Amino acid sequence: MIRASRNLLQYALAVALGIGAPVVVGAAAHDASGAPTQTINAVLTAPPMVPPPTNRNAPAKVLVELEVIEKEMRLADGVTYNFWTFGGTVPGSFIRVRQGDTVEFKLKNAHDSHMPHNIDLHAVSGQGGGAEATFTLPGHQTQFTFKALNPGLYVYHCATPPVGMHIANGMYGLILVEPPEGLPKVDKEFYVMQGDFYTEGKHGEPGLQPFSLEKAIDEHPTYVVFNGSEGALTGDNALQAKAGETIRMYVGNGGPNLVSSFHVIGEIFDKVYTEGGSKYQENVQTTLVPAGGSAIVEFKADVPGNFVLVDHSIFRTFHKGTLGILKVTGDKNPAIYSGQQSEGEYPEPAGAKAKAKGH
Amino acid sequence: MFAAAVVWFALMGTSSPTTQADFVEVPGGEFRSTVRSDAGDGPRTVTGFAMSRRPVTVREYERFVREQPQWRRDRVPSLVADRAYLAHWHSADAAGSDVDPDAPVTQVSWFAADAYCNSIDARLPDWAEWEYVAAADATRRDARGDSSWRARLFDDGTPRAVDARVDSPANAYGVRGLHGTAWEWVGDYASLLGNADKRGSNDGDRLQFCGASGLSFANSDDYAVLKRVALLSAMEPRSTLGNLGFRCVRSSP
C-alpha cells in the first residue's frame, strides 16, 4: 500500500514525484458482469492531510489496508494517553474512494495490541457497517468487500465492546465517497476531526492519564480537541494557505459524546455540505457536526491572517482544547478588511460626572 | 537453579507436575455476574472449588510439552493450535533464555490449555468461577462496587496491569495474577456468546455489534469485564495470543 506520509514535507515530495497519486496495481479487461476494470491501492493520509482526488471516470476495485495500533501519544503538553488508533493517528487515516467503487477492505490488528478491534464504516451498506466482518484479534487480519453506493463524507469507528471506550480512545476517522463527477476543484483540502477525551486527572494534569469511565458516562470530557491533541493545529502545526485560495475542510466528529458547533473565526463558509451529504447550504457561520457525523465546509481565504478554528460551544475551546489555526499569508486587501484604523480615548459626554454625583 | 529443581522434585511425589499446594480453596457463594446468562442476570450460586494460586508458568508448560510431546509446536496439529502457538520459544521444547521461566505461559491455544489442566487432574475454570475470584481485590472478596478498583482493571492484559507489579499482593482468596499482563482462557469461553458456533449464525454474534452489545451484559458499566469478554469472544479454540495464558481449577470433592 502507498501510505502518504505523516509529515507535510514527505507528502509534498510524494506528490511531486507522482507517487502520492493512486497507483494502478492491475488492469483487467472489462468483463461481462461489468466488474471494475482497474484495481487500485487507496492512498491513505494522516490528518490534517487529505488524499488527492480519485480523478476517475469509471468505478474501480480499491484496496484499503488499515492497521490498528495501540500506542501512548501526546494529548496535551506534558500529558499522554494510551490511544487506540486506525493507522497510528487520531483521527485515523483518511480514506478516499469514488461512488460505485468496489472497496476491498483489509483490517490488520497489530501484534502488540491487547484487544480485538473492528471497523464500522458509515459508508457501508451492510450489517454492522463491516464491524462483524472485521472483528480482528491482535496479530490477525480480516477482509471484507463493499460497494460504495452513496456519495458523502462518512465517519468510521471501532465497534468492539465496550464501544464507548474504543471510540473514547480515538478509534475513528473519515472516509470520503466522491460523487462520480468528483467535487469541484479547490486549492487546499484539510482533514479536521473533533473528539472528546476523558482522563482521571484534571485538564492539564501531567503524565500518562488513564481513561475515566465515570467522566465518559457523565459526558464531562477533560479534553475536547481537533485531530487528537491540544495543539494539533496550532503553532508549527497550523494549517497553511494563501490569500485568494479556495479551501475545503472535511470536518468530522468522532465524539464519543459531544456534538460540535464548528466555526472558523473571521470566515464565512461559502458552502456547507450539511451532515456530509450531497446538498449544500450557503453562507453559513457555524455548522453543527453531530457525534458520528461530518460536514464539508468550503470558503475562499479572501484576506491574510490567523483564522481560528473553534467549537463555538466556546468554553470547550478555551478550557478543553478545541482550537486550531488556519494561517493565511498574502497581501492585505483593505477593501475587504481594513484592520484597525484608529485608536483613541472616547470623550465622556458633558455633564455626566455632575449627574452621577448628584444622585 | 539446581537446588530449586531438587526441591521441586522432592515436593512432587506424584506424576503430577503441580502439587496440591499450588491450589487454594475458594468457598462457594452467591454471585451476580457482569455477563448475562440464559438464566437471567440475577445472582447465581458458585459452588466451592480450588484454583491455582497463579497462572501456569513457562517452566511448568515446558515440562508438560516434554512429557506430552504431541503438544510440541512442531508436532501439534494445526486443527488444535494456530501457527503462533509457542512460536516465540527458542525451540520446540524449550522457551530459551529470552523468556522468563516464571512468567505466565502465553501463545497457547484453548485445546492446549485444556490438555495441560487435564494432565494435572484439573480443568480450566468456568467463566463464572474465574469472574467470582477475580472480583476480589487484596482485602475484599467483591471489590467491584469500588470505581477506582474497576478503573485500574482497564489495564488488564497490558504491561500496566494491576498484577503486573512484582510486589502486587494476592487477592482476598490468596490468588495472584488474575489481573495481570496476560488474559486467561476459561473453559466455557465460547458460551459467553450464547451460541455454539459464534461465526456466521443468523443473528450473528451479539457482542460484535455496536447496538446489541450492551444487551448482553448485566452490568454495562463494568468495562474491564466487557473488554475481557470481548477478547475471549474473538477467540477460536485453536487461537493463541501473546498476552493470553491460563490457570487451572479443581472441583471440590
Side-chain angles (χ1 to χ4, degrees), chain B residues 160-235:
Chain B
R160 305 177 301 277
V162 172
D163 287 345
R165 295 197 327 268
V166 181
D167 61 341
S168 63
N171 77 7
Y173 295 101
V175 175
R176 293 173 190 272
L178 287 162
H179 301 289
T181 56
W183 308 101
E184 296 185 9
W185 282 110
V186 292
D188 58 345
Y189 80 99
S191 71
L192 294 174
L193 303 165
N195 192 328
D197 179 10
K198 57 196 166 67
R199 267 147 255 274
S201 56
N202 280 339
D203 62 346
D205 169 3
R206 293 163 72 197
L207 288 166
Q208 291 173 18
F209 300 123
C210 191
S213 62
L215 302 175
S216 303
F217 295 97
N219 188 342
S220 58
D221 292 358
D222 201 342
Y223 272 32
V225 171
L226 304 201
K227 280 181 67 181
R228 187 174 291 271
V229 172
L231 182 284
L232 289 172
S233 73
M235 306 301 292

Side-chain angles (χ1 to χ4, degrees), chain A residues 82-125:
Chain A
N82 282 308
F83 290 91
W84 302 350
T85 76
F86 285 109
T89 58
V90 178
S93 306
F94 196 103
I95 304 165
R96 187 166 192 159
V97 300
R98 178 188 182 278
Q99 185 181 7
D101 282 351
T102 296
V103 182
E104 186 179 293
F105 198 101
K106 186 177 282 181
L107 189 71
K108 295 178 158 188
N109 191 358
H111 284 267
D112 60 357
S113 291
H114 82 295
M115 282 292 291
H117 298 286
N118 65 12
I119 191 164
D120 170 355
L121 297 120
H122 292 181
V124 170
S125 301

Side-chain angles (χ1 to χ4, degrees), chain A residues 82 84 113-116 118 127-128 131-132 135 137-138 140 157 159-165 200 208 211 213-214 217, chain B residues 82 147 151 154 156-158 160 183 204-205 207-210 213 221 223 226-227 230-231 233-235 239 241 243:
Chain A
N82 282 308
W84 302 350
S113 291
H114 82 295
M115 282 292 291
N118 65 12
Q127 186 166 300
E132 181 191 21
F135 197 37
L137 282 170
H140 285 242
H157 63 90
T160 299
V163 181
M165 188 176 183
E200 287 291 340
L208 174 62
F211 168 67
L213 179 63
E214 287 184 347
I217 292 174
Chain B
D82 66 19
S147 60
F154 290 153
D156 281 10
T158 78
R160 305 177 301 277
W183 308 101
D205 169 3
L207 288 166
Q208 291 173 18
F209 300 123
C210 191
S213 62
D221 292 358
Y223 272 32
L226 304 201
K227 280 181 67 181
L231 182 284
S233 73
M235 306 301 292
S239 308
L241 283 183
N243 63 348

Side-chain angles (χ1 to χ4, degrees), chain B:
Chain B
M1 185 67 174
F2 177 72
V6 170
V7 171
W8 176 255
F9 280 102
L11 280 172
M12 263 184 19
T14 70
S15 64
S16 165
T18 306
T19 63
Q20 189 67 38
D22 288 319
F23 282 75
V24 58
E25 287 296 329
V26 175
E30 291 255 296
F31 182 71
R32 187 173 179 275
S33 173
T34 294
V35 180
R36 188 168 290 165
S37 73
D38 292 342
D41 58 3
R44 59 182 97 165
T45 302
V46 176
T47 311
F49 60 97
M51 178 178 264
S52 59
R53 290 183 185 274
R54 48 169 174 68
V56 173
T57 64
V58 169
R59 193 196 310 275
E60 289 167 331
Y61 200 80
E62 276 179 322
R63 184 184 175 83
F64 166 68
V65 165
R66 286 170 192 159
E67 287 178 351
Q68 299 201 25
Q70 72 270 29
W71 288 103
R72 288 160 53 112
R73 70 178 182 211
D74 57 348
R75 298 190 192 170
V76 72
S78 61
L79 206 60
V80 296
D82 66 19
R83 281 188 307 170
Y85 173 73
L86 301 179
H88 61 308
W89 280 23
H90 177 261
S91 61
D93 64 354
S97 54
D98 291 342
V99 182
D100 177 3
D102 294 320
V105 65
T106 58
Q107 288 181 228
V108 286
S109 69
W110 181 91
F111 289 117
D114 181 57
Y116 177 92
C117 288
N118 289 339
S119 79
I120 59 165
D121 302 321
R123 59 180 173 82
L124 288 168
D126 291 339
W127 167 260
E129 292 168 335
W130 193 96
E131 189 186 9
Y132 178 70
V133 183
D137 68 1
T139 57
R140 299 167 286 191
R141 287 191 172 176
D142 191 347
R144 295 177 301 167
D146 178 347
S147 60
S148 67
W149 165 248
R150 270 191 193 182
R152 296 173 70 200
L153 305 187
F154 290 153
D155 286 334
D156 281 10
T158 78
R160 305 177 301 277
V162 172
D163 287 345
R165 295 197 327 268
V166 181
D167 61 341
S168 63
N171 77 7
Y173 295 101
V175 175
R176 293 173 190 272
L178 287 162
H179 301 289
T181 56
W183 308 101
E184 296 185 9
W185 282 110
V186 292
D188 58 345
Y189 80 99
S191 71
L192 294 174
L193 303 165
N195 192 328
D197 179 10
K198 57 196 166 67
R199 267 147 255 274
S201 56
N202 280 339
D203 62 346
D205 169 3
R206 293 163 72 197
L207 288 166
Q208 291 173 18
F209 300 123
C210 191
S213 62
L215 302 175
S216 303
F217 295 97
N219 188 342
S220 58
D221 292 358
D222 201 342
Y223 272 32
V225 171
L226 304 201
K227 280 181 67 181
R228 187 174 291 271
V229 172
L231 182 284
L232 289 172
S233 73
M235 306 301 292
E236 294 180 47
R238 64 185 288 277
S239 308
T240 70
L241 283 183
N243 63 348
L244 177 63
F246 69 99
R247 73 179 64 222
C248 308
V249 298
R250 289 185 178 129
S251 302
S252 292

